[in-house]
PDB file of all heavy atoms in Angstrom:
ATOM      1  N   GLU A  10     -13.629  27.180 -21.579  1.00  0.00           N
ATOM      2  CA  GLU A  10     -12.582  26.672 -22.495  1.00  0.00           C
ATOM      3  C   GLU A  10     -12.480  27.606 -23.625  1.00  0.00           C
ATOM      4  O   GLU A  10     -11.407  27.782 -24.178  1.00  0.00           O
ATOM      5  CB  GLU A  10     -13.032  25.254 -22.766  1.00  0.00           C
ATOM      6  CG  GLU A  10     -12.045  24.629 -23.836  1.00  0.00           C
ATOM      7  CD  GLU A  10     -10.678  24.489 -23.294  1.00  0.00           C
ATOM      8  OE1 GLU A  10     -10.496  24.257 -22.010  1.00  0.00           O
ATOM      9  OE2 GLU A  10      -9.598  24.508 -23.952  1.00  0.00           O
ATOM     10  N   SER A  11     -13.542  28.093 -24.142  1.00  0.00           N
ATOM     11  CA  SER A  11     -13.577  29.018 -25.321  1.00  0.00           C
ATOM     12  C   SER A  11     -13.132  30.562 -24.918  1.00  0.00           C
ATOM     13  O   SER A  11     -12.331  31.060 -25.784  1.00  0.00           O
ATOM     14  CB  SER A  11     -14.997  29.132 -25.899  1.00  0.00           C
ATOM     15  OG  SER A  11     -15.321  27.968 -26.521  1.00  0.00           O
ATOM     16  N   LEU A  12     -13.506  30.997 -23.903  1.00  0.00           N
ATOM     17  CA  LEU A  12     -13.378  32.440 -23.514  1.00  0.00           C
ATOM     18  C   LEU A  12     -12.027  32.633 -22.645  1.00  0.00           C
ATOM     19  O   LEU A  12     -11.438  33.732 -22.670  1.00  0.00           O
ATOM     20  CB  LEU A  12     -14.502  33.045 -22.952  1.00  0.00           C
ATOM     21  CG  LEU A  12     -15.824  33.045 -23.780  1.00  0.00           C
ATOM     22  CD1 LEU A  12     -16.912  33.890 -23.103  1.00  0.00           C
ATOM     23  CD2 LEU A  12     -15.505  33.694 -25.170  1.00  0.00           C
ATOM     24  N   ALA A  13     -11.796  31.688 -21.791  1.00  0.00           N
ATOM     25  CA  ALA A  13     -10.679  31.849 -20.840  1.00  0.00           C
ATOM     26  C   ALA A  13     -10.009  30.474 -20.696  1.00  0.00           C
ATOM     27  O   ALA A  13      -9.978  29.855 -19.587  1.00  0.00           O
ATOM     28  CB  ALA A  13     -11.214  32.259 -19.477  1.00  0.00           C
ATOM     29  N   PRO A  14      -9.424  30.049 -21.728  1.00  0.00           N
ATOM     30  CA  PRO A  14      -8.790  28.663 -21.609  1.00  0.00           C
ATOM     31  C   PRO A  14      -7.679  28.466 -20.665  1.00  0.00           C
ATOM     32  O   PRO A  14      -7.337  27.214 -20.213  1.00  0.00           O
ATOM     33  CB  PRO A  14      -8.331  28.385 -23.061  1.00  0.00           C
ATOM     34  CG  PRO A  14      -8.168  29.782 -23.632  1.00  0.00           C
ATOM     35  CD  PRO A  14      -9.092  30.590 -22.997  1.00  0.00           C
ATOM     36  N   HIS A  15      -7.069  29.575 -20.291  1.00  0.00           N
ATOM     37  CA  HIS A  15      -5.902  29.392 -19.221  1.00  0.00           C
ATOM     38  C   HIS A  15      -6.273  30.117 -17.941  1.00  0.00           C
ATOM     39  O   HIS A  15      -5.463  30.517 -17.110  1.00  0.00           O
ATOM     40  CB  HIS A  15      -4.743  29.991 -19.749  1.00  0.00           C
ATOM     41  CG  HIS A  15      -4.324  29.383 -21.168  1.00  0.00           C
ATOM     42  ND1 HIS A  15      -4.005  28.058 -21.184  1.00  0.00           N
ATOM     43  CD2 HIS A  15      -4.250  29.892 -22.491  1.00  0.00           C
ATOM     44  CE1 HIS A  15      -3.568  27.768 -22.539  1.00  0.00           C
ATOM     45  NE2 HIS A  15      -3.829  28.868 -23.305  1.00  0.00           N
ATOM     46  N   GLY A  16      -7.556  30.318 -17.837  1.00  0.00           N
ATOM     47  CA  GLY A  16      -7.972  30.930 -16.547  1.00  0.00           C
ATOM     48  C   GLY A  16      -8.029  32.394 -16.473  1.00  0.00           C
ATOM     49  O   GLY A  16      -8.178  32.997 -15.482  1.00  0.00           O
ATOM     50  N   ARG A  17      -7.829  32.940 -17.564  1.00  0.00           N
ATOM     51  CA  ARG A  17      -7.803  34.357 -17.666  1.00  0.00           C
ATOM     52  C   ARG A  17      -8.692  34.857 -18.916  1.00  0.00           C
ATOM     53  O   ARG A  17      -8.442  34.323 -19.944  1.00  0.00           O
ATOM     54  CB  ARG A  17      -6.374  34.949 -17.886  1.00  0.00           C
ATOM     55  CG  ARG A  17      -5.448  34.571 -16.765  1.00  0.00           C
ATOM     56  CD  ARG A  17      -4.168  35.245 -16.899  1.00  0.00           C
ATOM     57  NE  ARG A  17      -4.220  36.669 -16.646  1.00  0.00           N
ATOM     58  CZ  ARG A  17      -4.246  37.197 -15.337  1.00  0.00           C
ATOM     59  NH1 ARG A  17      -4.125  36.366 -14.238  1.00  0.00           N
ATOM     60  NH2 ARG A  17      -4.307  38.512 -15.040  1.00  0.00           N
ATOM     61  N   LEU A  18      -9.608  35.770 -18.679  1.00  0.00           N
ATOM     62  CA  LEU A  18     -10.439  36.163 -19.613  1.00  0.00           C
ATOM     63  C   LEU A  18      -9.902  37.447 -20.410  1.00  0.00           C
ATOM     64  O   LEU A  18      -9.872  38.537 -19.685  1.00  0.00           O
ATOM     65  CB  LEU A  18     -11.853  36.605 -19.077  1.00  0.00           C
ATOM     66  CG  LEU A  18     -12.976  37.193 -19.942  1.00  0.00           C
ATOM     67  CD1 LEU A  18     -13.383  36.013 -21.076  1.00  0.00           C
ATOM     68  CD2 LEU A  18     -14.108  37.727 -19.232  1.00  0.00           C
ATOM     69  N   ARG A  19      -9.453  37.368 -21.599  1.00  0.00           N
ATOM     70  CA  ARG A  19      -8.767  38.436 -22.277  1.00  0.00           C
ATOM     71  C   ARG A  19      -9.883  39.407 -22.883  1.00  0.00           C
ATOM     72  O   ARG A  19     -10.719  38.968 -23.546  1.00  0.00           O
ATOM     73  CB  ARG A  19      -7.918  37.931 -23.448  1.00  0.00           C
ATOM     74  CG  ARG A  19      -6.582  37.138 -22.929  1.00  0.00           C
ATOM     75  CD  ARG A  19      -5.598  37.185 -23.939  1.00  0.00           C
ATOM     76  NE  ARG A  19      -5.864  36.662 -25.311  1.00  0.00           N
ATOM     77  CZ  ARG A  19      -5.873  35.376 -25.511  1.00  0.00           C
ATOM     78  NH1 ARG A  19      -5.552  34.544 -24.702  1.00  0.00           N
ATOM     79  NH2 ARG A  19      -6.243  35.068 -26.765  1.00  0.00           N
ATOM     80  N   VAL A  20      -9.854  40.638 -22.281  1.00  0.00           N
ATOM     81  CA  VAL A  20     -10.844  41.611 -22.651  1.00  0.00           C
ATOM     82  C   VAL A  20     -10.394  42.760 -23.360  1.00  0.00           C
ATOM     83  O   VAL A  20      -9.361  43.355 -22.844  1.00  0.00           O
ATOM     84  CB  VAL A  20     -11.608  42.087 -21.308  1.00  0.00           C
ATOM     85  CG1 VAL A  20     -12.671  43.110 -21.556  1.00  0.00           C
ATOM     86  CG2 VAL A  20     -12.188  40.879 -20.623  1.00  0.00           C
ATOM     87  N   ALA A  21     -10.977  43.136 -24.302  1.00  0.00           N
ATOM     88  CA  ALA A  21     -10.655  44.371 -25.158  1.00  0.00           C
ATOM     89  C   ALA A  21     -11.446  45.559 -24.641  1.00  0.00           C
ATOM     90  O   ALA A  21     -12.683  45.575 -24.531  1.00  0.00           O
ATOM     91  CB  ALA A  21     -10.869  44.226 -26.608  1.00  0.00           C
ATOM     92  N   ILE A  22     -10.717  46.572 -24.113  1.00  0.00           N
ATOM     93  CA  ILE A  22     -11.399  47.805 -23.684  1.00  0.00           C
ATOM     94  C   ILE A  22     -11.000  48.954 -24.577  1.00  0.00           C
ATOM     95  O   ILE A  22      -9.733  49.208 -24.863  1.00  0.00           O
ATOM     96  CB  ILE A  22     -10.871  48.188 -22.307  1.00  0.00           C
ATOM     97  CG1 ILE A  22     -11.393  47.133 -21.299  1.00  0.00           C
ATOM     98  CG2 ILE A  22     -11.521  49.527 -21.917  1.00  0.00           C
ATOM     99  CD1 ILE A  22     -12.873  47.150 -20.966  1.00  0.00           C
ATOM    100  N   ASN A  23     -11.966  49.773 -25.196  1.00  0.00           N
ATOM    101  CA  ASN A  23     -11.790  50.822 -26.092  1.00  0.00           C
ATOM    102  C   ASN A  23     -11.867  52.149 -25.305  1.00  0.00           C
ATOM    103  O   ASN A  23     -12.972  52.568 -25.021  1.00  0.00           O
ATOM    104  CB  ASN A  23     -12.771  50.750 -27.203  1.00  0.00           C
ATOM    105  CG  ASN A  23     -12.750  51.972 -28.105  1.00  0.00           C
ATOM    106  OD1 ASN A  23     -11.707  52.721 -28.195  1.00  0.00           O
ATOM    107  ND2 ASN A  23     -13.992  52.307 -28.764  1.00  0.00           N
ATOM    108  N   TYR A  24     -10.793  52.813 -25.150  1.00  0.00           N
ATOM    109  CA  TYR A  24     -10.822  54.074 -24.441  1.00  0.00           C
ATOM    110  C   TYR A  24     -11.221  55.275 -25.407  1.00  0.00           C
ATOM    111  O   TYR A  24     -11.452  56.332 -25.010  1.00  0.00           O
ATOM    112  CB  TYR A  24      -9.441  54.505 -23.898  1.00  0.00           C
ATOM    113  CG  TYR A  24      -9.026  53.737 -22.624  1.00  0.00           C
ATOM    114  CD1 TYR A  24      -7.734  53.284 -22.383  1.00  0.00           C
ATOM    115  CD2 TYR A  24      -9.915  53.623 -21.570  1.00  0.00           C
ATOM    116  CE1 TYR A  24      -7.344  52.633 -21.190  1.00  0.00           C
ATOM    117  CE2 TYR A  24      -9.592  52.985 -20.388  1.00  0.00           C
ATOM    118  CZ  TYR A  24      -8.215  52.437 -20.293  1.00  0.00           C
ATOM    119  OH  TYR A  24      -7.925  51.822 -19.143  1.00  0.00           O
ATOM    120  N   GLY A  25     -11.400  54.935 -26.630  1.00  0.00           N
ATOM    121  CA  GLY A  25     -11.978  55.860 -27.656  1.00  0.00           C
ATOM    122  C   GLY A  25     -13.438  56.206 -27.402  1.00  0.00           C
ATOM    123  O   GLY A  25     -13.770  57.451 -27.932  1.00  0.00           O
ATOM    124  N   ASN A  26     -14.113  55.595 -26.554  1.00  0.00           N
ATOM    125  CA  ASN A  26     -15.516  55.991 -26.337  1.00  0.00           C
ATOM    126  C   ASN A  26     -15.655  56.244 -24.780  1.00  0.00           C
ATOM    127  O   ASN A  26     -15.774  55.171 -24.104  1.00  0.00           O
ATOM    128  CB  ASN A  26     -16.456  54.822 -26.820  1.00  0.00           C
ATOM    129  CG  ASN A  26     -17.875  55.212 -26.762  1.00  0.00           C
ATOM    130  OD1 ASN A  26     -18.360  56.075 -26.013  1.00  0.00           O
ATOM    131  ND2 ASN A  26     -18.744  54.639 -27.576  1.00  0.00           N
ATOM    132  N   ILE A  27     -15.706  57.511 -24.423  1.00  0.00           N
ATOM    133  CA  ILE A  27     -15.755  57.813 -22.997  1.00  0.00           C
ATOM    134  C   ILE A  27     -17.053  57.369 -22.362  1.00  0.00           C
ATOM    135  O   ILE A  27     -17.028  57.154 -21.064  1.00  0.00           O
ATOM    136  CB  ILE A  27     -15.449  59.249 -22.816  1.00  0.00           C
ATOM    137  CG1 ILE A  27     -15.106  59.610 -21.337  1.00  0.00           C
ATOM    138  CG2 ILE A  27     -16.610  60.139 -23.284  1.00  0.00           C
ATOM    139  CD1 ILE A  27     -14.638  60.974 -21.073  1.00  0.00           C
ATOM    140  N   VAL A  28     -18.054  57.147 -23.046  1.00  0.00           N
ATOM    141  CA  VAL A  28     -19.234  56.651 -22.430  1.00  0.00           C
ATOM    142  C   VAL A  28     -19.046  55.319 -21.884  1.00  0.00           C
ATOM    143  O   VAL A  28     -19.605  55.045 -20.877  1.00  0.00           O
ATOM    144  CB  VAL A  28     -20.401  56.725 -23.470  1.00  0.00           C
ATOM    145  CG1 VAL A  28     -21.598  56.163 -22.908  1.00  0.00           C
ATOM    146  CG2 VAL A  28     -20.759  58.098 -23.966  1.00  0.00           C
ATOM    147  N   LEU A  29     -18.232  54.527 -22.467  1.00  0.00           N
ATOM    148  CA  LEU A  29     -18.198  53.125 -22.161  1.00  0.00           C
ATOM    149  C   LEU A  29     -16.904  52.882 -21.370  1.00  0.00           C
ATOM    150  O   LEU A  29     -17.006  51.881 -20.540  1.00  0.00           O
ATOM    151  CB  LEU A  29     -18.103  52.219 -23.427  1.00  0.00           C
ATOM    152  CG  LEU A  29     -19.192  52.327 -24.448  1.00  0.00           C
ATOM    153  CD1 LEU A  29     -19.029  51.413 -25.595  1.00  0.00           C
ATOM    154  CD2 LEU A  29     -20.593  52.174 -23.864  1.00  0.00           C
ATOM    155  N   ALA A  30     -15.867  53.609 -21.429  1.00  0.00           N
ATOM    156  CA  ALA A  30     -14.738  53.191 -20.746  1.00  0.00           C
ATOM    157  C   ALA A  30     -13.830  54.509 -20.426  1.00  0.00           C
ATOM    158  O   ALA A  30     -13.729  55.413 -21.259  1.00  0.00           O
ATOM    159  CB  ALA A  30     -13.872  52.236 -21.623  1.00  0.00           C
ATOM    160  N   GLN A  31     -13.229  54.346 -19.260  1.00  0.00           N
ATOM    161  CA  GLN A  31     -12.338  55.472 -18.742  1.00  0.00           C
ATOM    162  C   GLN A  31     -11.179  54.890 -18.043  1.00  0.00           C
ATOM    163  O   GLN A  31     -11.187  53.716 -17.652  1.00  0.00           O
ATOM    164  CB  GLN A  31     -13.047  56.510 -17.891  1.00  0.00           C
ATOM    165  CG  GLN A  31     -14.423  57.101 -18.429  1.00  0.00           C
ATOM    166  CD  GLN A  31     -15.631  56.200 -17.819  1.00  0.00           C
ATOM    167  OE1 GLN A  31     -15.620  55.562 -16.794  1.00  0.00           O
ATOM    168  NE2 GLN A  31     -16.532  56.037 -18.815  1.00  0.00           N
ATOM    169  N   ARG A  32     -10.178  55.542 -17.871  1.00  0.00           N
ATOM    170  CA  ARG A  32      -8.984  55.200 -17.067  1.00  0.00           C
ATOM    171  C   ARG A  32      -9.347  55.546 -15.665  1.00  0.00           C
ATOM    172  O   ARG A  32      -9.546  56.708 -15.317  1.00  0.00           O
ATOM    173  CB  ARG A  32      -7.755  55.893 -17.533  1.00  0.00           C
ATOM    174  CG  ARG A  32      -7.182  55.285 -18.897  1.00  0.00           C
ATOM    175  CD  ARG A  32      -5.968  55.984 -19.300  1.00  0.00           C
ATOM    176  NE  ARG A  32      -5.332  55.413 -20.531  1.00  0.00           N
ATOM    177  CZ  ARG A  32      -5.778  55.695 -21.801  1.00  0.00           C
ATOM    178  NH1 ARG A  32      -6.799  56.656 -21.946  1.00  0.00           N
ATOM    179  NH2 ARG A  32      -5.290  55.202 -22.794  1.00  0.00           N
ATOM    180  N   GLY A  33      -9.337  54.594 -14.765  1.00  0.00           N
ATOM    181  CA  GLY A  33      -9.640  54.837 -13.389  1.00  0.00           C
ATOM    182  C   GLY A  33      -8.448  55.566 -12.637  1.00  0.00           C
ATOM    183  O   GLY A  33      -7.312  55.648 -13.282  1.00  0.00           O
ATOM    184  N   GLU A  34      -8.629  55.977 -11.518  1.00  0.00           N
ATOM    185  CA  GLU A  34      -7.614  56.651 -10.735  1.00  0.00           C
ATOM    186  C   GLU A  34      -6.423  55.740 -10.486  1.00  0.00           C
ATOM    187  O   GLU A  34      -5.194  56.317 -10.305  1.00  0.00           O
ATOM    188  CB  GLU A  34      -8.172  57.183  -9.355  1.00  0.00           C
ATOM    189  CG  GLU A  34      -9.185  58.307  -9.501  1.00  0.00           C
ATOM    190  CD  GLU A  34      -9.685  58.827  -8.246  1.00  0.00           C
ATOM    191  OE1 GLU A  34      -9.218  58.338  -7.136  1.00  0.00           O
ATOM    192  OE2 GLU A  34     -10.617  59.697  -8.242  1.00  0.00           O
ATOM    193  N   ASP A  35      -6.729  54.502 -10.448  1.00  0.00           N
ATOM    194  CA  ASP A  35      -5.536  53.591 -10.185  1.00  0.00           C
ATOM    195  C   ASP A  35      -4.937  53.065 -11.530  1.00  0.00           C
ATOM    196  O   ASP A  35      -4.054  52.212 -11.685  1.00  0.00           O
ATOM    197  CB  ASP A  35      -6.118  52.286  -9.536  1.00  0.00           C
ATOM    198  CG  ASP A  35      -7.239  51.504 -10.288  1.00  0.00           C
ATOM    199  OD1 ASP A  35      -7.570  52.025 -11.295  1.00  0.00           O
ATOM    200  OD2 ASP A  35      -7.729  50.542  -9.827  1.00  0.00           O
ATOM    201  N   GLY A  36      -5.313  53.799 -12.766  1.00  0.00           N
ATOM    202  CA  GLY A  36      -4.748  53.415 -14.012  1.00  0.00           C
ATOM    203  C   GLY A  36      -5.449  52.219 -14.637  1.00  0.00           C
ATOM    204  O   GLY A  36      -5.170  51.887 -15.792  1.00  0.00           O
ATOM    205  N   GLU A  37      -6.395  51.550 -13.890  1.00  0.00           N
ATOM    206  CA  GLU A  37      -7.029  50.423 -14.411  1.00  0.00           C
ATOM    207  C   GLU A  37      -8.266  50.895 -15.247  1.00  0.00           C
ATOM    208  O   GLU A  37      -8.872  51.910 -14.906  1.00  0.00           O
ATOM    209  CB  GLU A  37      -7.393  49.367 -13.394  1.00  0.00           C
ATOM    210  CG  GLU A  37      -6.255  48.751 -12.705  1.00  0.00           C
ATOM    211  CD  GLU A  37      -5.563  47.797 -13.792  1.00  0.00           C
ATOM    212  OE1 GLU A  37      -6.101  47.054 -14.342  1.00  0.00           O
ATOM    213  OE2 GLU A  37      -4.249  47.995 -13.934  1.00  0.00           O
ATOM    214  N   PRO A  38      -8.778  50.000 -16.176  1.00  0.00           N
ATOM    215  CA  PRO A  38     -10.022  50.301 -16.839  1.00  0.00           C
ATOM    216  C   PRO A  38     -11.171  50.387 -15.941  1.00  0.00           C
ATOM    217  O   PRO A  38     -11.373  49.773 -15.015  1.00  0.00           O
ATOM    218  CB  PRO A  38     -10.197  49.205 -17.766  1.00  0.00           C
ATOM    219  CG  PRO A  38      -8.932  48.539 -18.059  1.00  0.00           C
ATOM    220  CD  PRO A  38      -8.179  48.818 -16.696  1.00  0.00           C
ATOM    221  N   ALA A  39     -12.005  51.595 -16.136  1.00  0.00           N
ATOM    222  CA  ALA A  39     -13.190  51.818 -15.477  1.00  0.00           C
ATOM    223  C   ALA A  39     -14.420  52.081 -16.349  1.00  0.00           C
ATOM    224  O   ALA A  39     -14.192  52.209 -17.537  1.00  0.00           O
ATOM    225  CB  ALA A  39     -13.081  52.999 -14.544  1.00  0.00           C
ATOM    226  N   GLY A  40     -15.610  52.157 -15.891  1.00  0.00           N
ATOM    227  CA  GLY A  40     -16.688  52.488 -16.769  1.00  0.00           C
ATOM    228  C   GLY A  40     -17.481  51.217 -16.972  1.00  0.00           C
ATOM    229  O   GLY A  40     -17.175  50.069 -16.532  1.00  0.00           O
ATOM    230  N   VAL A  41     -18.586  51.375 -17.705  1.00  0.00           N
ATOM    231  CA  VAL A  41     -19.639  50.280 -17.942  1.00  0.00           C
ATOM    232  C   VAL A  41     -19.077  49.013 -18.533  1.00  0.00           C
ATOM    233  O   VAL A  41     -19.175  47.883 -18.018  1.00  0.00           O
ATOM    234  CB  VAL A  41     -20.873  50.632 -18.491  1.00  0.00           C
ATOM    235  CG1 VAL A  41     -20.645  51.102 -19.961  1.00  0.00           C
ATOM    236  CG2 VAL A  41     -21.990  49.621 -18.473  1.00  0.00           C
ATOM    237  N   SER A  42     -18.212  49.113 -19.466  1.00  0.00           N
ATOM    238  CA  SER A  42     -17.646  48.014 -20.125  1.00  0.00           C
ATOM    239  C   SER A  42     -16.748  47.201 -19.216  1.00  0.00           C
ATOM    240  O   SER A  42     -16.727  46.000 -19.122  1.00  0.00           O
ATOM    241  CB  SER A  42     -16.934  48.386 -21.431  1.00  0.00           C
ATOM    242  OG  SER A  42     -15.916  49.250 -21.256  1.00  0.00           O
ATOM    243  N   ALA A  43     -15.880  47.935 -18.449  1.00  0.00           N
ATOM    244  CA  ALA A  43     -15.040  47.170 -17.460  1.00  0.00           C
ATOM    245  C   ALA A  43     -15.854  46.550 -16.361  1.00  0.00           C
ATOM    246  O   ALA A  43     -15.404  45.442 -15.917  1.00  0.00           O
ATOM    247  CB  ALA A  43     -14.009  48.265 -16.895  1.00  0.00           C
ATOM    248  N   VAL A  44     -16.802  47.185 -16.040  1.00  0.00           N
ATOM    249  CA  VAL A  44     -17.723  46.531 -14.815  1.00  0.00           C
ATOM    250  C   VAL A  44     -18.303  45.271 -15.384  1.00  0.00           C
ATOM    251  O   VAL A  44     -18.324  44.342 -14.754  1.00  0.00           O
ATOM    252  CB  VAL A  44     -18.841  47.490 -14.518  1.00  0.00           C
ATOM    253  CG1 VAL A  44     -19.947  46.830 -13.645  1.00  0.00           C
ATOM    254  CG2 VAL A  44     -18.394  48.728 -13.645  1.00  0.00           C
ATOM    255  N   LEU A  45     -18.825  45.327 -16.651  1.00  0.00           N
ATOM    256  CA  LEU A  45     -19.382  44.028 -17.250  1.00  0.00           C
ATOM    257  C   LEU A  45     -18.326  42.950 -17.372  1.00  0.00           C
ATOM    258  O   LEU A  45     -18.691  41.760 -17.051  1.00  0.00           O
ATOM    259  CB  LEU A  45     -20.059  44.311 -18.654  1.00  0.00           C
ATOM    260  CG  LEU A  45     -21.285  45.133 -18.542  1.00  0.00           C
ATOM    261  CD1 LEU A  45     -21.761  45.520 -20.001  1.00  0.00           C
ATOM    262  CD2 LEU A  45     -22.434  44.437 -17.740  1.00  0.00           C
ATOM    263  N   ALA A  46     -17.206  43.334 -17.823  1.00  0.00           N
ATOM    264  CA  ALA A  46     -16.005  42.366 -17.998  1.00  0.00           C
ATOM    265  C   ALA A  46     -15.759  41.697 -16.665  1.00  0.00           C
ATOM    266  O   ALA A  46     -15.554  40.462 -16.656  1.00  0.00           O
ATOM    267  CB  ALA A  46     -14.784  43.084 -18.530  1.00  0.00           C
ATOM    268  N   ARG A  47     -15.606  42.400 -15.619  1.00  0.00           N
ATOM    269  CA  ARG A  47     -15.260  41.902 -14.279  1.00  0.00           C
ATOM    270  C   ARG A  47     -16.353  41.111 -13.780  1.00  0.00           C
ATOM    271  O   ARG A  47     -16.007  40.038 -13.192  1.00  0.00           O
ATOM    272  CB  ARG A  47     -14.844  43.107 -13.349  1.00  0.00           C
ATOM    273  CG  ARG A  47     -13.515  43.911 -13.749  1.00  0.00           C
ATOM    274  CD  ARG A  47     -13.187  44.815 -12.551  1.00  0.00           C
ATOM    275  NE  ARG A  47     -11.867  45.486 -12.984  1.00  0.00           N
ATOM    276  CZ  ARG A  47     -11.834  46.620 -13.359  1.00  0.00           C
ATOM    277  NH1 ARG A  47     -12.883  47.421 -13.666  1.00  0.00           N
ATOM    278  NH2 ARG A  47     -10.569  47.228 -13.781  1.00  0.00           N
ATOM    279  N   ALA A  48     -17.568  41.492 -14.068  1.00  0.00           N
ATOM    280  CA  ALA A  48     -18.620  40.627 -13.534  1.00  0.00           C
ATOM    281  C   ALA A  48     -18.690  39.311 -14.377  1.00  0.00           C
ATOM    282  O   ALA A  48     -18.949  38.291 -13.680  1.00  0.00           O
ATOM    283  CB  ALA A  48     -19.954  41.406 -13.724  1.00  0.00           C
ATOM    284  N   LEU A  49     -18.465  39.292 -15.607  1.00  0.00           N
ATOM    285  CA  LEU A  49     -18.436  38.007 -16.328  1.00  0.00           C
ATOM    286  C   LEU A  49     -17.314  37.090 -16.008  1.00  0.00           C
ATOM    287  O   LEU A  49     -17.493  35.953 -15.638  1.00  0.00           O
ATOM    288  CB  LEU A  49     -18.329  38.305 -17.775  1.00  0.00           C
ATOM    289  CG  LEU A  49     -18.327  37.110 -18.687  1.00  0.00           C
ATOM    290  CD1 LEU A  49     -19.547  36.204 -18.617  1.00  0.00           C
ATOM    291  CD2 LEU A  49     -18.016  37.505 -20.216  1.00  0.00           C
ATOM    292  N   ALA A  50     -16.158  37.771 -15.741  1.00  0.00           N
ATOM    293  CA  ALA A  50     -14.978  36.993 -15.314  1.00  0.00           C
ATOM    294  C   ALA A  50     -15.245  36.379 -13.894  1.00  0.00           C
ATOM    295  O   ALA A  50     -14.955  35.258 -13.589  1.00  0.00           O
ATOM    296  CB  ALA A  50     -13.726  37.825 -15.157  1.00  0.00           C
TER     297      ALA A  50
END
Side-chain angles (χ1 to χ4, degrees):
E10 182 61 31
S11 291
L12 299 184
H15 305 294
R17 302 187 72 82
L18 179 66
R19 293 206 302 276
V20 180
I22 295 291
N23 170 29
Y24 283 136
N26 189 334
I27 195 172
V28 175
L29 306 183
Q31 310 90 37
R32 289 178 175 84
E34 293 181 1
D35 58 359
E37 291 297 307
V41 63
S42 55
V44 167
L45 289 173
R47 290 188 177 101
L49 178 60

